Amino acid sequence: MNAGDENVFAEQREKFGRICALIDDATEIVVCAHTDPDGDALGSGLALAQIISQHWVGKHVTNLLADDAPVPRLYRFLPGAESFVHASDYAGTPDLFIVVDLSVAPRLNKAQPVLERSRHIAIMDHHPSTTPFGDVALIRPDAAAAGVVIAEFGLFLGAHFTADIANCLFCAIVTDTGRFQYQNADSEAFECASMLVDAGASPSMISLNVYQSFRLAYLHLESVVMGRIVTFDHGRIAYSYATRNDLERTGAHPDECDGLIDVVRSVEGSEVALFLKELPDGKVRGNLRSKGKHDISVVARSMGGGGHKAAAGFTSDGGIDATLACVLPQLQAVLAAADGEAPAPRNPQMKLELGKGV
């Protein structure tokens, strides 16, 4: 461990202590992650609630969902998943609101009003943030997943890692590292994963549920998305999309589409990938991935979203065609800047025909 690492962990320990003080003084606690939750958001939140309930007997802890939608089908196997409460149905006034895997309040969606009436707020996250909020903001962009931060909080407390806690946290880490294939799969992530397996996590069970239990409807949608992949900027950018009509025609559900960005990312020679999903309300959800040094989070932020350098997302009010026309030139500029080139002039009249590259 170098001096920089020690400083990071010293700050983390100090903030763990402050979060513990907030929990000590609270009776009603809620834990909530971002809208459109993924495996890290769900697994980390469930594990944290179980750790708190175990270590602080008598606290009332509620896991909230930021949206009115149910838990995504792929993650309903997680221990405790049935205990989630929709934020819009929660009428309480929490003593403490713990934000997990998020540090931007608007992405709490329906849970934001609950946050605003809470007495105290703590953040446990790994996404870069320039405007943290709350009484304690523990944000570690160097951590591979929020699950890593929660696992180390459990270690800080000396908590007993049950198999249920271990499975929730292993799912959080394995999904946010892309099955330990992304650039964020560092030694800390592997050490946490090893500890969780020793505590009873089952990698095969998690893999079976998350990566080997796709409905036929989803696989038909995946074939549509694969057939629609187009490359841009001499093959360095790969993109594809799924429309509302695609989902209706195949019978796939919007919450099943998280893995489609990895299908696009797999194109040989591509350096960045973009996948767009049209939502039932007409908005477009965008996922961005980078294979190497390119920071695509700047593009996500320009679209009102955020994330990490290599993995980010956003939501657009425009259609798929308009979103492509806006995002692709920005990705091209990111690649050009990394190469020390002047970015190509952006044509505000640029229109991309669906399924056609430039």
Side-chain angles (χ1 to χ4, degrees):
M1 179 183 294
N2 59 41
D5 291 334
E6 180 53 41
N7 290 337
V8 167
F9 289 114
E11 180 181 358
Q12 177 171 275
R13 288 191 295 271
E14 187 270 334
K15 290 188 175 180
F16 280 163
R18 291 167 59 191
I19 291 171
C20 287
L22 291 175
I23 297 172
D24 284 338
D25 292 339
T27 300
E28 186 73 25
I29 300 169
V30 298
V31 177
C32 189
H34 51 78
T35 182
D36 195 20
D38 55 13
D40 190 22
L42 296 165
S44 295
L46 287 170
L48 177 60
Q50 293 176 56
I51 289 170
I52 293 173
S53 295
Q54 176 196 112
H55 196 77
W56 283 272
V57 178
K59 306 292 184 183
H60 186 251
V61 188
T62 304
N63 280 107
L64 295 184
L65 287 173
D67 306 321
D68 289 335
V71 173
R73 186 187 64 84
L74 290 178
Y75 300 112
R76 291 176 194 166
F77 76 95
L78 288 172
E82 72 287 346
S83 68
F84 275 104
V85 174
H86 292 111
S88 56
D89 295 331
Y90 179 83
T93 301
D95 299 308
L96 176 61
F97 190 118
I98 304 180
V99 185
V100 173
D101 199 33
L102 173 70
S103 50
V104 181
R107 292 204 67 219
L108 282 167
N109 197 12
K110 300 291 183 66
Q112 192 168 358
V114 183
L115 176 87
E116 291 168 354
R117 64 178 184 262
S118 300
R119 288 180 53 231
H120 295 288
I121 300 166
I123 297 172
M124 302 178 80
D125 187 26
H126 71 128
H127 294 91
S129 176
T130 57
T131 56
F133 59 93
D135 299 86
V136 182
L138 172 51
I139 301 171
R140 278 197 52 205
D142 61 313
V148 168
V149 177
I150 303 304
E152 291 174 359
F153 182 60
L155 291 173
F156 174 84
L157 294 173
H160 168 58
F161 283 80
T162 64
D164 284 355
I165 291 172
N167 276 311
C168 286
L169 289 174
F170 192 93
C171 179
I173 295 170
V174 77
T175 53
D176 243 35
T177 58
R179 289 178 273 186
F180 300 101
Q181 296 177 93
Y182 295 161
Q183 296 96 313
N184 61 343
D186 57 12
S187 59
E188 183 184 24
F190 278 100
E191 288 168 5
C192 279
S194 177
M195 180 270 293
L196 294 169
V197 172
D198 286 341
S202 172
S204 61
M205 182 271 289
I206 292 167
S207 179
L208 177 65
N209 280 276
V210 179
Y211 300 112
Q212 300 172 51
S213 294
F214 298 124
R215 295 189 311 126
L216 194 57
Y218 165 80
L219 294 174
H220 288 165
L221 177 66
E222 184 179 89
S223 70
V224 171
V225 171
M226 291 177 67
R228 198 178 272 157
I229 294 174
V230 174
T231 58
F232 178 71
D233 195 25
H234 308 290
R236 302 176 73 189
I237 301 169
Y239 69 90
S240 189
Y241 59 90
T243 67
R244 283 182 290 181
N245 183 61
D246 293 328
L247 272 72
E248 291 170 3
R249 181 166 49 83
T250 59
H253 300 153
D255 67 12
E256 294 180 296
C257 297
D258 286 350
L260 291 174
I261 180 60
D262 290 319
V263 174
V264 183
R265 184 179 182 269
S266 67
V267 175
E268 181 184 14
S270 65
E271 299 176 36
V272 296
L274 166 68
F275 173 69
L276 301 179
K277 172 181 65 179
E278 189 177 20
L279 303 174
D281 62 4
K283 293 183 179 181
V284 173
R285 174 68 182 167
N287 294 110
L288 292 161
R289 295 289 185 273
S290 169
K291 289 184 178 179
K293 61 184 179 181
H294 306 297
D295 182 359
I296 44 79
S297 68
V298 296
V299 178
R301 287 196 295 272
S302 78
M303 299 293 292
H308 303 281
K309 289 183 177 181
F314 62 89
T315 300
S316 169
D317 291 328
I320 287 178
D321 206 15
T323 304
L324 285 172
C326 183
V327 175
L328 289 177
Q330 293 188 62
L331 291 176
Q332 189 177 27
V334 167
L335 295 178
D339 293 340
E341 304 170 5
R346 182 176 174 186
N347 179 0
Q349 302 301 318
M350 178 183 180
K351 294 288 287 182
L352 288 176
E353 185 180 348
L354 290 183
K356 300 292 180 67
V358 173

